[in-house]
Amino acid sequence: MQAILHPTEENPSPPGAECIALVTRDKVHLRAMRAVPENARGTVVILGGRGDFIERYFETARDLMARGFAVAMLDMPGQGGSQ
């Protein structure tokens, strides 16, 4: 499974965003993303709810990065780009 992000012109990816394919012990494929600004002061983890997906939080991630925080996100199993 290839993990990719789906930015749009109206909703661009956070700067330096990297999409990551994860596989759990029970072989479930999950899609994750991380974006790390230079000299990050901490990391904020965003876990969406039912029906949510990483791209829904791009604006929030960009805002957090502008404040100096790294951002990590995960599509929960059965949501977004996760199996």
Side-chain angles (χ1 to χ4, degrees):
M1 176 180 157
Q2 181 184 6
I4 59 173
L5 296 173
H6 302 281
T8 63
E9 191 173 310
E10 301 82 29
N11 189 29
S13 299
E18 177 183 6
C19 195
I20 304 160
L22 303 173
V23 181
T24 65
R25 279 192 243 175
D26 55 349
K27 308 293 187 235
V28 175
H29 294 260
L30 302 176
R31 182 176 71 138
M33 186 209 83
R34 70 176 168 199
V36 183
E38 194 171 319
N39 301 317
R41 34 189 282 198
T43 301
V44 175
V45 178
I46 300 173
L47 298 172
R50 182 159 175 81
D52 277 342
F53 46 92
I54 289 171
E55 290 80 5
R56 179 175 269 174
Y57 296 96
F58 277 177
E59 181 178 7
T60 302
R62 290 191 306 270
D63 289 347
L64 288 165
M65 291 180 73
R67 290 171 173 81
F69 291 98
V71 178
M73 293 190 246
L74 174 74
D75 280 341
M76 302 300 278
Q79 310 302 315
S82 289
Q83 185 179 25

